[in-house]
Amino acid sequence: MSNRDPAATLADWLAEETAARQRLDAGPGPGVARPEQIAGLSGLQQMQAMLRGELPYAAIASTLDFLVLEVDEGRALFQGTPRPGHLNPMGTVHGGWFATLLDSALGCAVQTRLPAGRAYTTAELGINMVKAITPKVQRVRAEGKVIHCGRQLATAEARLTGPDGTLYAHASTTCLVFDLPTR
């Protein structure tokens, strides 16, 4: 748990979300970047261009109400808004929502470590959900960090937390790394 006031942290998170959403929405919106748009760009350069609104962002982010806030070398930070449409029949957020948010943070962290002409796909995703997200939780953050990035495999870990520091889940991934096809 964090020693900082959760209300102040949430206010900061909401301000960061607003700024990020404005940048993303000023660009092409959700979609898939064309090969010529990413040619010659490293994974980190691609992610940074997306954050600046120069490349499309993933449509799944709109569908499930989350967005990428920050990327660095080997790190990606996402923020999600649990909504009533994400609830399971028991009244808590569905595990698939947890999984998608964590998988996005993990994969994008791996993406930031790839040179131009290389890509990845998730081969394995393991999630430990340690606390339910209820409708009272306004926002959560998933932070993914690369553990290893090699020529064929990459591994990463992520944590899903609330503004009060509560840990809701942690995850790990193994990704296959490969050359993008040339046309």
Side-chain angles (χ1 to χ4, degrees):
M1 300 284 271
S2 172
N3 290 334
R4 186 154 186 251
D5 174 35
T9 299
L10 179 60
D12 289 347
W13 285 16
L14 294 173
E16 291 171 37
E17 178 181 304
T18 298
R21 196 168 303 284
Q22 287 173 344
R23 284 191 308 273
L24 292 172
D25 289 343
V32 177
R34 295 182 314 277
E36 64 271 14
Q37 289 179 295
I38 61 170
L41 297 179
S42 71
L44 180 58
Q45 290 170 323
Q46 291 173 40
M47 294 297 303
Q48 290 169 334
M50 185 190 63
L51 278 172
R52 289 190 303 268
E54 298 166 6
L55 291 174
Y57 60 89
I60 190 74
S62 294
T63 302
L64 294 181
D65 207 354
F66 64 81
L67 74 158
V68 60
L69 293 176
E70 299 173 10
V71 293
D72 304 300
E73 182 80 21
R75 179 181 165 272
L77 179 67
F78 279 71
Q79 185 161 299
T81 306
R83 299 276 189 211
H86 303 143
L87 299 180
N88 60 32
M90 296 171 288
T92 60
V93 173
H94 191 280
W97 190 81
F98 280 70
T100 304
L101 185 53
L102 286 161
D103 185 47
S104 296
L106 290 161
C108 288
V110 167
Q111 177 74 16
T112 68
R113 294 285 306 273
L114 299 180
R118 302 281 284 162
Y120 76 93
T121 190
T122 301
E124 179 271 335
L125 175 65
I127 300 172
N128 294 287
M129 295 175 216
V130 297
K131 185 171 176 73
I133 297 176
T134 68
K136 292 180 184 177
V137 178
Q138 294 181 23
R139 295 294 188 281
V140 291
R141 283 192 168 180
E143 182 175 17
K145 294 181 181 180
V146 172
I147 298 168
H148 166 79
C149 189
R151 176 153 167 65
Q152 295 180 318
L153 292 176
T155 58
E157 60 189 7
R159 295 169 54 92
L160 185 66
T161 58
D164 63 352
T166 297
L167 176 67
Y168 291 99
H170 52 96
S172 62
T173 192
T174 301
C175 295
L176 299 176
V177 178
F178 55 91
D179 290 327
L180 285 170
T182 56
R183 294 181 195 223

